[in-house]
Amino acid sequence: MTSRIGIVHRMRWMQALAATLLLALAVLFAGLVASSARAVVRSPRASAASAADPTAVDPRLRTLAARHPGQSTEVIVQFSQGVAPAAQRALLARSGGRVTRELHVIHGLAARMTAGRAAALGRDAQVHAVSLNGAIKTQSILTSSLVTTFDKTVHATAAWNKPNGGLTGKGVGVAVIDTGIAGDLVDFNSGDGSGSSRVVQSAVVNPDATTATDLYGHGTHVAGIIAGNSNARPLSDLLHGDYVGVAPDANLISIKASDDAGDSTVLDVIYGLQFAVDHKADYNIRVVNMSLDSATAQSYKTDPLDAAAEAAWFNGIVVVAAAGNRGTDADAVSYAPANDPYVITVGATDENNTSGAADDTIADWSSRGTTQDGVVKPDIYAPGSRIVSNLAPGSVFTTLCATCISGGGQYIRAGGTSMAAPMVAGAVADVLQNHTSWTPDQVKAALKLGANTMSGTGVKTLEVNHTNDANPSTPANQGLTPNSLIDTTTGNIDYTRSSWSRSSWSEAADLLRSSWSRSSWSRSSWSSTDSSGVETTRSSWSRSSWSTSVYK
């Protein structure tokens, strides 16, 4: 009996054990199925992220995230095509980001967040690129002995005196994204007896600027090369006719992207380009000059400043950019906007104290080479050494080189590709006065067709008169791949415009009004919040000085 009971107990125990094992196996199987299901749900996102461009994150941001992942930073996030504004904001909110500006021109947002979380955004399928809001700087200022021969060297004088009507840029608007322009200087006078200035409008796109005028000096010097004209001085003035820009009758639109100390960021310059695009028709803006570059080297396909420059180009504005002053360094031409294949990138020549071309040489400090995307730059060269132009009264420039100041303190001698670029911008204005229907691609082709070829180097140098006579049957930039945010069917950036596009430009305070401007108002910086509540005030930590490192 005892043995039979033991057998029964053992059988029941074995049955219970089997049931327990079956239950455990069932639970394990269910878990595996659920895990597999979750993997299937995640797989499209994971595969999209893993396929993301490894260069989508700014190299400086990657370094910062690796060393200081918790550091607060401001970044520019460009989103993939088709990502709606609400989805953009939701993604940034999930990442702990606080939106500081909307950037509809590049289908993006600026946001403040930790470096670690910002870098992680580059792995998201909805994100096209993430960049630090890095510093913007003008090209280094080089100064030496005075020789004012550039108008003859580039044959601008021949264009001014053409038999069937001179080409002086009359009626053409040239936007100067820089440190502002001292527009009340006599050399910018319209010369029509009204006393009005040819600086017809002034926009301030830097939230930390307190005045529309140029307290640094760089922008005024650049503007004088484009469209200064000392013939507006009285005949009794000893300086009458001494200094004349390449397009002496062109109108100037000052877009101040720096604060009063000359500090600027990528965001400020992008806003400057946006202003030029939005107000192209208002002031006949056909050209924009950018004698500046980003402090971060990125591919033009993901760089936000390059995207904005292309947006302006495809909206019919010729974009002229200084090549930089890095000589033949490995990364000499790797910085936006000069590295963009669409824009006209300008290098500098040294005229060697003569107005003839035979002894011209490439300035040894002028950037040249091949970009990270395989594009040879610059596109054209113009004089950039020992250039005399207008000096903004009381500006920082007045303290940089006492021996460089001339004309009783009204002019200053300086050099760099910052001075070469505005010569090309002025030349474009001259040409567009005559060829009003030419597109940016046609203008670029004409510049190359009409250019001189420098002996011994093969590089193209600016020739204004021949450019006007050129017949660009084949436009430039054929076969190029635009920034991936550009819609190739329309030539515009694929983005959904927000309602603040124009309306959020606040009216200027009294101290921003320019009495010398033809219009009675001057645009100020973006207001502290836009119509959707986006906070647009920003810290000044990311700003750095416009480069002024080299003097002679």
Side-chain angles (χ1 to χ4, degrees), residues 114-131:
T114 65
R117 290 190 172 187
L121 285 174
R123 298 193 296 269
D124 194 288
Q126 299 179 87
V127 173
H128 171 65
V130 187
S131 308

Side-chain angles (χ1 to χ4, degrees), residues 200-256:
V200 296
Q201 195 46 262
S202 178
V204 180
V205 295
N206 186 305
D208 294 331
T210 64
T211 177
T213 197
D214 184 8
L215 298 182
Y216 189 74
H218 189 273
T220 299
H221 196 272
V222 165
I225 295 169
I226 296 171
N229 187 359
S230 64
N231 286 295
R233 294 176 175 274
L235 291 175
S236 58
D237 190 324
L238 294 177
L239 297 172
H240 177 86
D242 282 0
Y243 305 107
V244 182
V246 176
D249 287 328
N251 290 331
L252 294 165
I253 296 85
S254 172
I255 303 179
K256 185 172 179 176

